[in-house]
Amino acid sequence: MRILGVDPGYGIVGIGVIEISGNRISHVFHGVIETSKDLPRGKRLKQIYEEFVRILDTFSPDECALEKLFFVKNVTTAIGVGEARGVIFLALEEKNVPVFEYAPNEVKISLTGYGKASKKQIQENVKRFLGLSKLPQPDDAADALAIAWCHALQSRMRRVTHGKD
């Protein structure tokens, strides 16, 4: 099974792809979609959508794990992230990719056992668990891999709990 992890954003969308084969979870890809602050809102959203569709076409994920929107410190930022999530959801729906959402503390717990783990702790564990030679960069891509890892563990738990493994 191939899982696409997404750390949604308006300026930067983190992307992480992992593959589950038996009991092995392996790294396939990580990167980001970046949009320029100089572009109008509509063009930025279109860019996110088009690049995200290319990622879906390239990696053909079976499922997508997406970080839940959790902050409201800056309403303008929250609106932009919400709009980016909207175009991401649209692309996933068009490609019939099931979506699973996880809160940031759920992701941290799945990687470290601690819901308030630092970004550095998350990156170190992503590196170790996926057998990477260096820390995944940028942070948004590392977060996306962490979200995918969280989903891999959760989906494994659901299969075991429901007797499908």
Side-chain angles (χ1 to χ4, degrees), residues 25-98:
I25 301 174
S26 56
H27 173 268
V28 175
F29 170 82
H30 68 275
V32 295
I33 298 170
E34 291 187 72
T35 64
S36 171
K37 293 176 183 174
D38 297 332
L39 291 175
R41 180 180 304 260
K43 288 196 185 303
R44 290 177 83 178
L45 292 171
K46 183 179 181 199
Q47 179 185 346
I48 291 168
Y49 173 80
E50 289 173 346
E51 289 187 35
F52 194 75
V53 167
R54 278 194 288 280
I55 287 165
L56 292 173
D57 289 341
T58 300
F59 296 105
S60 302
D62 298 298
E63 296 178 345
C64 179
L66 191 69
E67 187 174 68
K68 288 182 182 175
L69 185 58
F70 67 97
F71 60 86
V72 285
K73 292 177 190 167
N74 181 332
V75 174
T76 303
T77 301
I79 290 170
V81 173
E83 290 171 342
R85 283 172 50 89
V87 299
I88 289 166
F89 270 103
L90 173 61
L92 290 163
E93 181 62 28
E94 287 177 340
K95 300 289 183 178
N96 296 310
V97 178

Side-chain angles (χ1 to χ4, degrees), residues 18 28 33 46 90 96 98 104 108 122 127 150 157 163:
I18 62 174
V28 175
I33 298 170
K46 183 179 181 199
L90 173 61
N96 296 310
K108 291 176 180 182
I122 298 299
K127 175 189 169 208
C150 174
M157 191 84 85

Side-chain angles (χ1 to χ4, degrees), residues 148-163:
W149 181 269
C150 174
H151 179 65
L153 297 182
Q154 293 292 328
S155 64
R156 167 95 174 136
M157 191 84 85
R158 279 191 295 277
R159 288 193 309 272
V160 168
T161 303
H162 297 303

